[in-house]
Amino acid sequence: MSMNVDYGPGDALLVVDMQNDFCEGGALAVAGGSALVPGINAEIDAAQAAGALVIASRDWHPVDHLSFSHRGGPWPVHCVQDTPGAAFHPDLALPAGAIRVSKATAFDADAYSAFDGTGLGGYLKERGIERVIICGLALDVCVRATVLEARQEGFDTLLLERLSRAVDSDAVTECRHEFSVAGAEVRS
């Protein structure tokens, strides 16, 4: 069931990192990640029906990415390019025309936001997008960075909190505060 967002052609639904490695059974699983898929699929359908753009971001790391613990980074090996862990969740119903944005693709640079080093902000502005609606994984990491950078890029920003999960549930209150300060709307 959709969250009753009033989508239009000036909107982009941005699904953040709904990849196998971030869902149950993955290398860096977020509890409840897989359960988000039916609701996100409903949003994809609603967005498409209204002529909104559908975008899916993904971590797309090279082997030996600097964020991996064996290289001194904070994370276990995850979302390595062209591996099953980096694939989108098998039940995620991305339409053929959905834009796929790959981030953190260089060996020596990490990126949490779907806007960081991808050119996404400029692309959306060229397309006349005014509002970005965000959901996905993880609320306190890549979703957080994407929401904040969407605001920095000047987009009206709506987070669908019910369709996002955090690695650390204790961080959600602080994230909500940051989003509010940045001028992003949060819908539970």
XYZ file of all heavy atoms in Angstrom, residues 37-131:
701
model
N 10.446 -3.893 0.924
C 10.297 -4.017 -0.527
C 8.850 -3.860 -1.008
O 8.601 -3.095 -1.947
C 10.953 -5.309 -1.040
C 10.654 -5.536 -2.511
C 12.470 -5.253 -0.814
N 7.846 -4.528 -0.418
C 6.474 -4.356 -0.932
C 5.997 -2.897 -0.885
O 5.383 -2.412 -1.841
C 5.629 -5.254 -0.026
C 6.583 -6.296 0.470
C 7.901 -5.579 0.617
N 6.297 -2.194 0.190
C 5.898 -0.787 0.294
C 6.631 0.087 -0.708
O 6.052 0.997 -1.299
N 7.913 -0.184 -0.904
C 8.679 0.583 -1.894
C 8.147 0.295 -3.296
O 8.007 1.219 -4.111
C 10.190 0.282 -1.765
C 10.730 0.877 -0.455
C 10.956 0.831 -2.968
C 12.165 0.508 -0.137
N 7.812 -0.954 -3.571
C 7.221 -1.273 -4.880
C 5.922 -0.514 -5.109
O 5.657 -0.048 -6.226
C 6.993 -2.786 -5.010
C 8.276 -3.551 -5.246
O 9.301 -2.982 -5.634
N 8.231 -4.848 -4.998
N 5.114 -0.358 -4.065
C 3.869 0.420 -4.189
C 4.181 1.882 -4.519
O 3.483 2.507 -5.330
C 3.050 0.312 -2.905
N 5.242 2.419 -3.908
C 5.635 3.804 -4.209
C 6.149 3.927 -5.642
O 5.863 4.914 -6.326
C 6.709 4.294 -3.229
C 6.219 4.469 -1.813
C 4.999 5.366 -1.696
O 4.971 6.466 -2.296
O 4.052 4.949 -1.013
N 6.904 2.938 -6.088
C 7.402 2.944 -7.471
C 6.217 2.979 -8.436
O 6.195 3.765 -9.389
C 8.313 1.726 -7.732
C 9.641 1.889 -6.980
C 8.553 1.536 -9.228
C 10.509 0.638 -6.965
N 5.211 2.139 -8.180
C 4.015 2.114 -9.038
C 3.307 3.465 -9.040
O 2.917 3.975 -10.096
C 3.044 1.021 -8.582
C 3.556 -0.383 -8.854
O 4.516 -0.538 -9.658
O 3.010 -1.329 -8.252
N 3.132 4.047 -7.847
C 2.444 5.333 -7.737
C 3.231 6.443 -8.440
O 2.653 7.282 -9.142
C 2.226 5.687 -6.262
N 4.540 6.440 -8.251
C 5.380 7.459 -8.883
C 5.318 7.343 -10.399
O 5.127 8.341 -11.108
C 6.824 7.327 -8.394
N 5.451 6.122 -10.895
C 5.407 5.904 -12.345
C 4.074 6.324 -12.942
O 4.028 6.954 -13.996
C 5.645 4.425 -12.644
C 6.993 4.164 -13.206
C 7.038 2.825 -13.904
O 6.564 1.822 -13.396
N 7.628 2.819 -15.068
N 2.990 5.975 -12.260
C 1.648 6.296 -12.757
C 1.439 7.801 -12.873
O 0.677 8.258 -13.735
C 0.591 5.682 -11.840
N 2.131 8.565 -12.028
C 1.977 10.025 -12.016
C 3.011 10.735 -12.884
O 3.048 11.963 -12.925
C 2.066 10.538 -10.586
N 3.871 9.983 -13.555
C 4.874 10.605 -14.415
C 6.107 11.088 -13.696
O 6.895 11.864 -14.248
N 6.315 10.626 -12.457
C 7.517 10.997 -11.707
C 8.677 10.104 -12.153
O 8.476 9.010 -12.668
C 7.284 10.840 -10.210
N 9.867 10.598 -11.936
C 11.078 9.855 -12.254
C 11.334 8.832 -11.153
O 11.108 9.118 -9.970
C 12.230 10.857 -12.309
C 13.492 10.537 -13.060
C 13.195 10.224 -14.519
C 14.439 11.729 -12.971
N 11.796 7.646 -11.500
C 12.172 6.623 -10.512
C 13.676 6.392 -10.639
O 14.190 6.134 -11.726
C 11.398 5.307 -10.735
C 11.890 4.234 -9.763
C 9.896 5.533 -10.577
N 14.359 6.511 -9.490
C 15.816 6.370 -9.438
C 16.158 5.367 -8.347
O 15.526 5.363 -7.284
C 16.478 7.722 -9.095
C 16.069 8.782 -10.110
C 17.988 7.597 -9.011
C 16.324 10.187 -9.644
N 17.149 4.540 -8.586
C 17.648 3.626 -7.561
C 19.151 3.809 -7.444
O 19.872 3.688 -8.429
C 17.318 2.182 -7.928
N 19.601 4.140 -6.241
C 21.050 4.246 -6.021
C 21.568 2.920 -5.505
O 20.817 2.103 -4.957
C 21.368 5.368 -5.029
O 20.994 5.008 -3.715
N 22.864 2.712 -5.688
C 23.492 1.496 -5.191
C 24.947 1.764 -4.856
O 25.635 2.520 -5.541
C 23.407 0.370 -6.221
C 24.147 0.664 -7.504
C 23.951 -0.430 -8.528
N 24.662 -0.107 -9.767
C 24.654 -0.858 -10.843
N 23.961 -1.982 -10.863
N 25.324 -0.502 -11.918
N 25.397 1.126 -3.765
C 26.833 1.041 -3.519
C 27.383 0.132 -4.611
O 26.784 -0.901 -4.916
C 27.098 0.400 -2.152
C 27.276 1.407 -1.031
O 27.033 2.597 -1.251
O 27.649 0.975 0.072
N 28.502 0.500 -5.199
C 29.053 -0.259 -6.322
C 30.566 -0.223 -6.190
O 31.276 0.392 -6.968
C 28.552 0.365 -7.621
C 28.687 -0.486 -8.840
C 29.496 -0.214 -9.929
C 28.015 -1.705 -9.153
N 29.339 -1.200 -10.871
C 28.430 -2.129 -10.423
C 27.095 -2.499 -8.464
C 27.968 -3.293 -11.028
C 26.625 -3.650 -9.061
C 27.068 -4.031 -10.335
N 31.043 -0.917 -5.143
C 32.447 -0.820 -4.766
C 33.348 -1.725 -5.601
O 32.985 -2.859 -5.890
C 32.625 -1.238 -3.304
C 31.882 -0.388 -2.331
N 31.924 0.982 -2.337
C 31.074 -0.729 -1.292
C 31.188 1.450 -1.339
N 30.655 0.432 -0.697
N 34.548 -1.233 -5.924
C 35.552 -2.128 -6.499
C 36.082 -3.058 -5.401
O 35.951 -2.765 -4.212
C 36.645 -1.179 -6.980
C 36.498 0.042 -6.146
C 35.038 0.141 -5.791
N 36.682 -4.151 -5.821
C 37.368 -5.028 -4.869
C 38.401 -4.170 -4.128
O 39.010 -3.274 -4.715
C 38.066 -6.169 -5.646
C 38.940 -7.009 -4.724
C 37.034 -7.034 -6.347
N 38.579 -4.402 -2.847
C 39.560 -3.668 -2.032
C 39.221 -2.183 -1.869
O 40.122 -1.338 -1.734
C 40.986 -3.823 -2.588
C 41.550 -5.198 -2.333
O 41.119 -5.844 -1.351
O 42.423 -5.633 -3.096
N 37.942 -1.846 -1.829
C 37.532 -0.453 -1.596
C 38.034 0.020 -0.236
O 38.110 -0.753 0.717
C 35.995 -0.361 -1.662
C 35.492 1.035 -1.635
N 34.902 1.584 -0.527
C 35.509 2.000 -2.585
C 34.554 2.841 -0.800
N 34.915 3.113 -2.031
N 38.381 1.294 -0.146
C 38.971 1.826 1.091
C 38.039 1.785 2.285
O 38.488 1.873 3.423
C 39.506 3.241 0.882
C 38.537 4.403 0.674
C 37.924 4.883 1.966
C 39.281 5.552 0.059
N 36.734 1.610 2.095
C 35.806 1.543 3.226
C 35.794 0.170 3.892
O 35.214 0.013 4.962
C 34.383 1.893 2.768
O 33.821 0.842 1.996
N 36.451 -0.811 3.284
C 36.448 -2.165 3.824
C 37.424 -2.274 4.994
O 38.519 -1.697 4.970
C 36.798 -3.188 2.746
C 35.819 -3.244 1.594
C 36.187 -3.830 0.397
C 34.538 -2.713 1.691
C 35.305 -3.899 -0.670
C 33.639 -2.771 0.643
C 34.022 -3.368 -0.555
N 37.043 -3.051 5.994
C 37.840 -3.141 7.217
C 39.275 -3.610 6.961
O 40.198 -3.121 7.609
C 37.156 -4.050 8.241
O 36.882 -5.307 7.685
N 39.492 -4.496 6.000
C 40.863 -4.959 5.753
C 41.740 -3.866 5.137
O 42.958 -4.007 5.097
C 40.876 -6.229 4.881
C 40.485 -6.022 3.457
N 39.169 -6.129 3.032
C 41.210 -5.721 2.358
C 39.120 -5.906 1.723
N 40.345 -5.642 1.294
N 41.113 -2.759 4.718
C 41.870 -1.599 4.217
C 41.871 -0.462 5.236
O 42.245 0.664 4.931
C 41.249 -1.078 2.911
C 41.320 -2.025 1.763
C 42.269 -1.691 0.628
N 42.892 -0.412 0.540
C 42.612 0.540 -0.359
N 41.670 0.344 -1.270
N 43.271 1.656 -0.372
N 41.335 -0.737 6.429
C 41.306 0.277 7.472
C 39.997 1.029 7.557
O 39.859 1.951 8.356
N 39.017 0.655 6.754
C 37.712 1.303 6.765
C 36.795 0.737 7.841
O 37.141 -0.227 8.526
N 35.606 1.315 7.970
C 34.697 0.918 9.051
C 33.788 -0.275 8.738
O 33.089 -0.753 9.625
C 33.846 2.173 9.251
C 33.805 2.830 7.912
C 35.146 2.529 7.277
N 33.758 -0.758 7.489
C 32.745 -1.732 7.092
C 33.353 -3.051 6.621
O 34.444 -3.066 6.049
C 31.895 -1.172 5.940
C 31.338 0.186 6.200
C 31.690 1.340 5.564
C 30.335 0.557 7.139
N 30.964 2.401 6.055
C 30.127 1.949 7.031
C 29.597 -0.156 8.081
C 29.197 2.640 7.817
C 28.673 0.542 8.861
C 28.489 1.916 8.721
N 32.602 -4.157 6.796
C 33.040 -5.405 6.165
C 32.902 -5.275 4.639
O 32.232 -4.355 4.151
C 32.065 -6.447 6.715
C 30.859 -5.676 7.109
C 31.348 -4.306 7.524
N 33.507 -6.192 3.911
C 33.378 -6.201 2.453
C 31.898 -6.305 2.102
O 31.185 -7.176 2.626
C 34.177 -7.372 1.843
C 33.914 -7.480 0.350
C 35.665 -7.201 2.126
N 31.424 -5.392 1.241
C 30.014 -5.394 0.847
C 29.846 -4.727 -0.514
O 30.654 -3.890 -0.899
C 29.156 -4.674 1.894
C 29.441 -3.203 1.980
N 30.547 -2.706 2.647
C 28.794 -2.132 1.467
C 30.553 -1.387 2.551
N 29.509 -1.010 1.822
N 28.795 -5.103 -1.219
C 28.385 -4.467 -2.479
C 29.541 -4.314 -3.465
O 29.731 -3.250 -4.061
C 27.714 -3.127 -2.218
S 26.189 -3.275 -1.259
N 30.297 -5.386 -3.633
C 31.382 -5.381 -4.608
C 30.772 -5.509 -6.007
O 29.892 -6.339 -6.244
C 32.389 -6.522 -4.335
C 33.435 -6.611 -5.439
C 33.056 -6.313 -2.976
N 31.238 -4.682 -6.908
C 30.698 -4.618 -8.275
C 30.508 -6.008 -8.872
O 31.384 -6.861 -8.777
C 31.635 -3.806 -9.172
C 31.763 -2.369 -8.751
C 32.874 -1.626 -9.474
O 33.555 -2.160 -10.327
N 33.060 -0.362 -9.117
N 29.341 -6.187 -9.503
C 29.025 -7.418 -10.241
C 28.965 -8.685 -9.397
O 29.118 -9.782 -9.923
C 29.995 -7.619 -11.415
C 29.878 -6.502 -12.438
O 28.741 -6.135 -12.793
O 30.913 -5.985 -12.871
N 28.735 -8.529 -8.083
C 28.536 -9.703 -7.230
C 27.068 -9.785 -6.832
O 26.346 -8.773 -6.896
C 29.396 -9.628 -5.952
O 28.957 -8.504 -5.163
C 30.876 -9.514 -6.279
N 26.602 -10.957 -6.411
C 25.211 -11.079 -5.967
C 24.864 -10.116 -4.826
O 23.746 -9.607 -4.755
C 25.096 -12.542 -5.513
C 26.140 -13.263 -6.311
C 27.276 -12.279 -6.450
N 25.811 -9.831 -3.938
C 25.551 -8.916 -2.831
C 25.271 -7.494 -3.285
O 24.545 -6.750 -2.634
N 25.848 -7.104 -4.402
C 25.652 -5.742 -4.917
C 24.359 -5.607 -5.717
O 23.917 -4.497 -5.994
C 26.832 -5.340 -5.789
N 23.743 -6.732 -6.068
C 22.507 -6.686 -6.869
C 21.366 -6.100 -6.049
O 21.326 -6.217 -4.814
C 22.145 -8.095 -7.330
N 20.420 -5.477 -6.744
C 19.217 -5.004 -6.067
C 18.444 -6.206 -5.533
O 18.508 -7.308 -6.093
C 18.339 -4.191 -7.029
C 18.929 -2.851 -7.380
C 19.374 -2.587 -8.665
C 19.041 -1.849 -6.424
C 19.922 -1.354 -8.990
C 19.588 -0.615 -6.735
C 20.034 -0.366 -8.026
N 17.696 -5.998 -4.455
C 16.879 -7.059 -3.867
C 16.046 -7.692 -4.981
O 15.469 -6.982 -5.814
C 15.969 -6.469 -2.785
C 15.255 -7.490 -1.984
N 14.180 -8.192 -2.472
C 15.473 -7.939 -0.729
C 13.749 -9.023 -1.540
N 14.513 -8.896 -0.470
N 15.976 -9.016 -5.040
C 15.304 -9.677 -6.164
C 13.820 -9.344 -6.306
O 13.267 -9.446 -7.404
C 15.506 -11.173 -5.875
C 15.861 -11.272 -4.439
C 16.522 -9.978 -4.077
N 13.180 -8.928 -5.230
C 11.751 -8.588 -5.305
C 11.497 -7.107 -5.568
O 10.345 -6.689 -5.688
C 11.038 -9.017 -4.019
C 11.084 -10.523 -3.816
O 11.117 -11.262 -4.829
O 11.120 -10.961 -2.645
N 12.553 -6.304 -5.620
C 12.391 -4.881 -5.910
C 11.983 -4.729 -7.369
O 12.693 -5.168 -8.272
C 13.693 -4.126 -5.628
C 13.619 -2.605 -5.737
C 12.704 -2.027 -4.655
C 15.010 -1.999 -5.626
N 10.839 -4.117 -7.601
C 10.264 -4.037 -8.952
C 10.661 -2.730 -9.638
O 9.825 -1.848 -9.867
C 8.746 -4.168 -8.877
N 11.945 -2.621 -9.962
C 12.402 -1.426 -10.672
C 11.957 -1.510 -12.126
O 12.214 -2.514 -12.797
C 13.925 -1.312 -10.624
C 14.532 -0.929 -9.290
C 16.047 -0.988 -9.372
C 14.065 0.444 -8.855
N 11.309 -0.458 -12.621
C 10.915 -0.475 -14.029
C 12.137 -0.382 -14.937
O 13.200 0.094 -14.516
C 10.030 0.769 -14.166
C 10.327 1.628 -12.993
C 10.882 0.747 -11.921
N 11.979 -0.834 -16.163
C 13.098 -0.825 -17.120
C 13.674 0.578 -17.276
O 14.878 0.741 -17.447
C 12.635 -1.372 -18.464
N 12.827 1.593 -17.201
C 13.272 2.972 -17.387
C 13.811 3.642 -16.141
O 14.167 4.826 -16.175
N 13.881 2.919 -15.027
C 14.415 3.518 -13.801
C 15.887 3.857 -14.004
O 16.624 3.133 -14.666
C 14.261 2.566 -12.620
N 16.292 4.958 -13.434
C 17.684 5.390 -13.518
C 18.441 4.752 -12.368
O 18.018 4.834 -11.213
C 17.770 6.922 -13.467
C 17.112 7.484 -14.714
C 19.203 7.388 -13.326
C 16.701 8.896 -14.618
N 19.530 4.090 -12.690
C 20.360 3.451 -11.677
C 21.622 4.289 -11.480
O 22.326 4.569 -12.447
C 20.700 2.035 -12.107
C 19.497 1.085 -11.985
C 19.413 0.146 -13.165
N 18.380 -0.862 -13.012
C 17.145 -0.739 -13.503
N 16.774 0.348 -14.155
N 16.262 -1.706 -13.330
N 21.855 4.682 -10.237
C 22.984 5.546 -9.900
C 23.953 4.742 -9.039
O 23.580 4.254 -7.977
C 22.509 6.798 -9.132
C 23.692 7.630 -8.664
C 21.577 7.626 -9.988
N 25.187 4.619 -9.501
C 26.216 3.878 -8.769
C 27.118 4.861 -8.039
O 27.576 5.839 -8.616
C 27.048 3.042 -9.744
O 26.224 2.125 -10.432
N 27.368 4.571 -6.762
C 28.203 5.460 -5.959
C 29.340 4.695 -5.303
O 29.282 3.484 -5.198
C 27.358 6.193 -4.919
C 26.593 5.308 -3.973
C 25.633 6.137 -3.126
C 24.785 5.283 -2.235
N 25.495 4.606 -1.167
N 30.348 5.434 -4.882
C 31.536 4.866 -4.239
C 32.211 3.854 -5.155
O 32.548 2.751 -4.760
C 31.193 4.258 -2.888
N 32.413 4.253 -6.400
C 32.955 3.357 -7.423
C 34.476 3.432 -7.558
O 35.058 2.611 -8.249
C 32.326 3.677 -8.794
O 32.635 5.028 -9.138
C 30.819 3.487 -8.766
N 35.110 4.394 -6.915
C 36.571 4.528 -6.980
C 37.205 3.781 -5.805
O 36.606 3.671 -4.739
C 36.968 5.999 -6.938
N 38.399 3.284 -5.987
C 39.096 2.560 -4.923
C 39.345 3.433 -3.706
O 39.304 2.959 -2.580
C 40.465 2.051 -5.425
C 40.373 0.881 -6.343
C 40.456 1.064 -7.711
C 40.210 -0.400 -5.856
C 40.379 -0.012 -8.577
C 40.132 -1.491 -6.707
C 40.210 -1.293 -8.075
N 39.616 4.722 -3.950
C 40.152 5.582 -2.902
C 39.195 6.644 -2.389
O 39.620 7.593 -1.740
C 41.414 6.264 -3.417
C 41.154 7.135 -4.643
O 40.047 7.053 -5.220
O 42.063 7.897 -5.022
N 37.896 6.500 -2.661
C 36.933 7.488 -2.172
C 35.627 6.795 -1.816
O 35.145 5.943 -2.563
C 36.685 8.560 -3.226
N 35.074 7.156 -0.669
C 33.783 6.603 -0.282
C 32.713 7.643 -0.550
O 33.001 8.839 -0.697
C 33.786 6.209 1.195
C 32.773 5.110 1.491
O 32.090 4.651 0.550
O 32.663 4.699 2.662
N 31.486 7.201 -0.644
C 30.355 8.102 -0.866
C 29.131 7.458 -0.246
O 28.843 6.286 -0.509
C 30.143 8.334 -2.357
N 28.437 8.207 0.573
C 27.213 7.705 1.191
C 25.979 8.249 0.473
O 24.998 7.548 0.300
C 27.180 8.071 2.676
C 28.257 7.371 3.466
C 29.383 8.050 3.911
C 28.155 6.012 3.755
C 30.369 7.394 4.632
C 29.143 5.353 4.467
C 30.248 6.055 4.906
O 31.232 5.404 5.603
N 26.028 9.480 0.054
C 24.890 10.110 -0.613
C 24.818 9.699 -2.084
O 25.851 9.590 -2.759
C 25.025 11.632 -0.528
O 24.127 12.259 -1.418
N 23.599 9.519 -2.567
C 23.384 9.227 -3.996
C 23.809 10.404 -4.870
O 23.958 10.255 -6.081
C 21.918 8.888 -4.248
N 24.016 11.566 -4.272
C 24.425 12.758 -5.016
C 25.942 12.919 -5.065
O 26.461 13.671 -5.875
C 23.815 14.018 -4.385
C 22.329 14.107 -4.510
C 21.490 13.580 -3.543
C 21.751 14.723 -5.616
C 20.113 13.659 -3.667
C 20.379 14.807 -5.757
C 19.563 14.267 -4.776
N 26.669 12.223 -4.177
C 28.099 12.435 -3.990
C 28.908 11.856 -5.153
O 29.079 10.649 -5.275
C 28.536 11.805 -2.671
C 29.968 12.141 -2.291
O 30.671 12.822 -3.075
O 30.394 11.712 -1.207
N 29.391 12.733 -6.005
C 30.251 12.324 -7.108
C 29.543 11.643 -8.262
O 30.194 11.074 -9.130
N 28.206 11.700 -8.283
C 27.454 10.981 -9.323
C 26.871 11.893 -10.407
O 26.415 11.394 -11.431
C 26.283 10.193 -8.699
O 25.352 11.124 -8.122
C 26.774 9.206 -7.645
N 26.838 13.202 -10.152
C 26.201 14.113 -11.108
C 24.691 14.104 -11.030
O 24.015 14.734 -11.854
N 24.128 13.413 -10.051
C 22.673 13.279 -9.956
C 21.968 14.624 -9.788
O 20.937 14.859 -10.416
C 22.293 12.330 -8.811
C 20.796 12.086 -8.613
C 20.156 11.483 -9.866
C 20.565 11.181 -7.396
N 22.523 15.512 -8.974
C 21.872 16.809 -8.747
C 21.686 17.580 -10.037
O 20.589 18.076 -10.334
N 22.740 17.698 -10.821
C 22.654 18.414 -12.094
C 21.690 17.746 -13.055
O 20.915 18.424 -13.748
N 21.714 16.425 -13.090
C 20.808 15.694 -13.975
C 19.349 15.975 -13.614
O 18.525 16.251 -14.498
C 21.092 14.184 -13.889
C 20.119 13.363 -14.691
C 20.231 13.274 -16.076
C 19.076 12.692 -14.067
C 19.317 12.529 -16.819
C 18.163 11.947 -14.804
C 18.291 11.880 -16.167
O 17.377 11.156 -16.900
N 19.027 15.932 -12.317
C 17.645 16.174 -11.894
C 17.214 17.602 -12.210
O 16.076 17.826 -12.646
C 17.482 15.883 -10.406
C 17.672 14.430 -9.983
C 17.493 14.282 -8.482
C 16.720 13.507 -10.729
N 18.115 18.552 -12.019
C 17.783 19.947 -12.336
C 17.536 20.115 -13.837
O 16.598 20.810 -14.239
C 18.893 20.879 -11.851
C 18.925 20.988 -10.333
C 20.143 21.729 -9.821
C 20.166 21.684 -8.302
N 21.409 22.157 -7.742
N 18.353 19.464 -14.669
C 18.140 19.517 -16.123
C 16.783 18.947 -16.513
O 16.176 19.387 -17.487
C 19.230 18.710 -16.847
C 20.585 19.347 -16.853
C 21.658 18.408 -17.411
O 21.315 17.351 -17.987
O 22.847 18.751 -17.258
N 16.309 17.972 -15.754
C 15.024 17.331 -16.030
C 13.847 18.083 -15.424
O 12.707 17.649 -15.534
C 15.017 15.896 -15.484
C 16.014 14.951 -16.116
C 15.601 14.460 -17.503
N 14.307 13.845 -17.549
C 14.051 12.550 -17.510
N 15.050 11.702 -17.409
N 12.822 12.097 -17.573
N 14.116 19.190 -14.724
C 13.043 19.975 -14.120
C 12.492 19.394 -12.827
O 11.393 19.747 -12.398
N 13.254 18.530 -12.186
C 12.810 17.940 -10.925
C 12.948 18.987 -9.817
O 13.986 19.629 -9.680
C 13.629 16.670 -10.591
C 13.450 15.615 -11.676
C 13.257 16.132 -9.204
C 12.037 15.128 -11.908
N 11.889 19.127 -9.024
C 11.890 20.086 -7.917
C 11.875 19.409 -6.556
O 12.323 19.977 -5.570
C 10.675 21.008 -8.041
C 10.721 21.854 -9.310
C 9.455 22.650 -9.523
O 8.514 22.543 -8.705
O 9.410 23.396 -10.517
N 11.297 18.197 -6.518
C 11.186 17.501 -5.234
C 11.714 16.081 -5.367
O 11.454 15.388 -6.353
C 9.720 17.451 -4.784
C 9.510 16.745 -3.456
C 8.092 16.820 -2.959
N 7.178 16.097 -3.825
C 5.982 15.627 -3.450
N 5.558 15.848 -2.224
N 5.216 14.987 -4.303
